[in-house]
Amino acid sequence: MTKAEKLKQIAGRVAKCTRCDLYKRANKPVPGEGNPGAEVMFVGEGPGYHEDQQGLPFVGAAGKLLDKLLQLIEVERKEVFIGNVIKHRTENNRDPLPEEIEACRSFLDEQIQIIKPKIIVTLGRFSMNKFLPGEKISRIHGQARYVDFLGKRYIVVPMYHPAAALRNGRIMEEIKEDFQKIKVFLEENPEEEIMEKNREDKQLKLV
Ligand code: SF4
C-alpha cells in the first residue's frame, strides 16, 4: 500500500470515528491533507468553523495566513502535510479536553509514522505539548528540538498558532521570523544548534 493509500485509509477511519463525542456536533471530519512524502508536517490544534464546513485543515483566516507564511519561505502548500491534534471541531472552538486529545491521538501518530517528515512544526500549545510536554511556547517558539517519537527522531519546531498572530501584532512579527527558520532547518545541517537547545532544556529541568 502506498503512503497516499494509507493516509486515505486513516481518513476513512476518522470519518467513522465515535471514540469521543465531538463527531456528534461536527459537520465534517478534518483528517488533514497534503503531500504524503512531505519533508515538513504542520500540526495544528483542531478544526474551526470553516474547516468544519469544508472538511479541510487551515482554510479560514488562520489558513490564509498560513498560506502567506509559506509563500514567504517559497514553499507551496501542496509540498507539505497539514494535520491537527483532533479531527472534529469542538463546540464554539473551545479548547479540546485531555480525554478528547487522547481519544484522537492514534490518528495523528499513524499519520506521522507514515509520512516520516524531517521537520514537525507545531502550531499552538496543544500540538507543542504532544511532543514537548510542559514547555512554554513563549520560551521556545521558533527553536528546534530533537524529539524521539514512536521509534524515530524528529526535528520539532514549536510555533505560535496563526490565529494568535492574527490577534496580536507582536506574535505576527515573531511567527514571520520563526517561519524563516524552517528553510534553514531544511537546507542546512543545524545538528549542533539543536543539540545545544536539547541540553539547555535538560539543565533547566535539573535546576
Ligand atoms: S475528534 Fe477524534 S476521537 Fe473524537 S470522534 Fe473525531 S476522530 Fe474520533
Side-chain angles (χ1 to χ4, degrees), residues 153-172:
R153 176 160 283 196
Y154 294 92
I155 297 175
V156 174
V157 190
M159 294 199 189
Y160 286 109
H161 196 284
L166 290 171
R167 293 190 295 265
N168 181 318
R170 179 184 56 78
I171 291 178
M172 180 68 88

Side-chain angles (χ1 to χ4, degrees), residues 18 42 57 59 66-67 77 87 89 103 116 127 131 138 149 167 204:
T18 57
F42 290 89
V59 287
L66 180 62
D67 289 342
R77 187 170 170 132
K87 313 296 192 189
R89 187 186 180 209
K116 293 190 171 55
S127 71
F131 304 97
S138 54
F149 185 74
R167 293 190 295 265
L204 264 179

Side-chain angles (χ1 to χ4, degrees), residues 13-24 26 29-30 47 85-90 99-105 107:
R13 279 189 276 131
V14 166
K16 290 187 195 141
C17 180
T18 57
R19 280 190 223 153
C20 78
D21 284 343
L22 291 179
Y23 77 95
K24 290 181 183 168
V30 185
V85 171
I86 56 163
K87 313 296 192 189
H88 284 99
R89 187 186 180 209
T90 58
E99 54 267 34
E100 290 163 347
I101 293 173
E102 179 55 27
C104 213
R105 181 175 52 81
F107 293 126

Side-chain angles (χ1 to χ4, degrees), residues 27-124:
N27 264 301
K28 288 188 177 175
V30 185
E33 67 155 6
N35 177 4
E39 282 198 299
V40 185
M41 181 168 181
F42 290 89
V43 181
E45 297 185 359
Y49 173 82
H50 294 283
E51 291 76 17
D52 176 63
Q53 293 290 315
Q54 297 182 40
L56 296 169
F58 281 89
V59 287
K64 289 199 174 71
L65 174 57
L66 180 62
D67 289 342
K68 280 190 191 149
L69 292 166
L70 286 170
Q71 279 167 17
L72 273 182
I73 56 168
E74 295 166 346
V75 171
E76 289 190 51
R77 187 170 170 132
K78 65 177 188 229
E79 293 175 56
V80 303
F81 190 92
I82 305 174
N84 276 316
V85 171
I86 56 163
K87 313 296 192 189
H88 284 99
R89 187 186 180 209
T90 58
E91 61 274 17
N92 301 319
N93 293 345
R94 66 158 169 77
D95 287 348
L97 302 170
E99 54 267 34
E100 290 163 347
I101 293 173
E102 179 55 27
C104 213
R105 181 175 52 81
S106 67
F107 293 126
L108 179 58
D109 290 353
E110 284 183 64
Q111 288 171 323
I112 293 168
Q113 284 179 300
I114 291 164
I115 296 164
K116 293 190 171 55
K118 183 174 173 191
I119 301 175
I120 297 173
V121 178
T122 64
L123 301 170

